[in-house]
Amino acid sequence: MNPLYLFLFFILIAITFHIALVRHWPLNELNWKKVDYLWISLSLISIIGLSATIRTDWYSTTLIIDRYARQSRLEDLKHALADATGAAICRATLRTEYSPSNIDQIVAEYQSACEVFKKLSSIDTLNNKDEARGFVELLPESLQPLRRKFNQPEIIEEFDSIENAHNGFLKSIQEENKTRNLASKSDFEKIMSIFAAPLLVIALALRLTKVTGEISLKKVMKHSSQNPDQQK
């Protein structure tokens, strides 16, 4: 709400309260004390609504940061998969007189690992609008059984790299979802946010009227005590 409108609303409500509760239907001391319950209650309701707005504004900004973080973790995952299909794994091995006796087994293991990494990196959902949701579901189920088939340190290292990148990506999704929940208002908070500012204005106007009313009441009581004959 425009601050100018709030100020004009405050003036209007304050004048209305002064005319009604001070001039035409002045309250006694006990009733002015009861007014405290009303304006404090209105202020509390207003604070609840304003706090929801402040929270959602804060976490809406944080949500933008979390989205960038999630995209960054996704890029890390893509890079880890791209590295796994690089020359370190997908390489041509030449047999020489210095090759170990199990060279054929080692070559077959690297070739198999290369095919696995290429398959993982070619999952269609990795680049679609779902931001690798399908890949997220596939990897935890397939990675651990796959890595147990291999023994070569370089291959295991690539699996570790992919798994670490994937865990970071999953964590970034969880953080983003958590922030998104904090950045949204419940239906109750939406209603409270709409009425928060007007209720606070009414509460302040009522509090100002209470001060004026109590001062006026004290003046009347003082005047009455100084002029007891007029009461008769």
Side-chain angles (χ1 to χ4, degrees):
M1 187 177 291
N2 191 307
L4 177 60
Y5 294 157
L6 285 176
F7 179 74
L8 294 177
F9 182 58
F10 172 78
I11 297 298
L12 176 62
I13 292 298
I15 292 175
T16 302
F17 282 157
H18 276 69
I19 293 174
L21 303 179
V22 178
R23 178 172 300 181
H24 290 293
W25 301 287
L27 304 180
N28 56 33
E29 186 175 4
L30 178 60
N31 287 331
W32 279 124
K33 294 295 182 182
K34 292 180 180 179
V35 168
D36 282 333
Y37 291 106
L38 180 57
W39 78 265
I40 291 175
S41 298
L42 292 175
S43 299
L44 179 60
I45 296 173
S46 176
I47 290 173
I48 293 174
L50 292 174
S51 64
T53 300
I54 293 172
R55 189 201 72 234
T56 53
D57 288 347
W58 172 268
Y59 282 105
S60 293
T61 303
T62 307
L63 182 60
I64 297 174
I65 300 174
D66 286 349
R67 285 172 179 167
Y68 281 113
R70 189 240 313 148
Q71 186 62 37
S72 177
R73 298 291 81 77
L74 177 59
E75 293 301 320
D76 291 343
L77 179 55
K78 291 179 180 180
H79 290 157
L81 287 165
D83 290 342
T85 56
I89 304 298
C90 300
R91 61 189 178 184
T93 303
L94 298 177
R95 295 172 179 80
T96 67
E97 57 182 315
Y98 303 105
S99 298
S101 58
N102 62 338
I103 183 63
D104 292 336
Q105 179 182 348
I106 294 175
V107 170
E109 187 172 335
Y110 273 90
Q111 289 176 344
S112 178
C114 179
E115 292 301 319
V116 168
F117 291 137
K118 284 183 177 180
K119 183 178 180 180
L120 287 175
S121 61
S122 65
I123 295 175
D124 293 337
T125 51
L126 189 59
N127 295 301
N128 71 6
K129 63 182 180 180
D130 292 329
E131 298 291 4
R133 292 303 197 276
F135 182 76
V136 167
E137 295 174 357
L138 173 65
L139 188 55
E141 298 176 0
S142 63
L143 192 58
Q144 292 299 327
L146 285 173
R147 69 182 296 162
R148 286 196 290 267
K149 298 178 181 180
F150 303 99
N151 299 310
Q152 296 301 314
E154 283 185 308
I155 298 175
I156 298 301
E157 184 178 344
E158 294 296 343
F159 272 109
D160 289 339
S161 178
I162 294 173
E163 187 172 24
N164 289 335
H166 180 253
N167 289 337
F169 179 58
L170 288 179
K171 184 177 180 180
S172 68
I173 291 177
Q174 293 172 355
E175 290 294 328
E176 182 185 358
N177 290 336
K178 180 180 178 181
T179 302
R180 184 180 290 105
N181 291 333
L182 291 171
S184 61
K185 296 178 182 177
S186 64
D187 293 338
F188 174 73
E189 288 177 328
K190 290 178 182 178
I191 296 174
M192 298 296 288
S193 297
I194 294 174
F195 294 102
L199 287 178
L200 183 58
V201 168
I202 293 173
L204 293 175
L206 188 58
R207 181 68 179 89
L208 179 63
T209 304
K210 178 180 182 293
V211 173
T212 305
E214 289 178 332
I215 292 174
S216 298
L217 181 61
K218 288 182 178 180
K219 289 181 178 179
V220 171
M221 294 175 64
K222 182 178 180 181
H223 180 74
S224 298
S225 63
Q226 291 177 348
N227 301 278
D229 295 336
Q230 292 184 359
Q231 294 181 344
K232 298 179 181 180

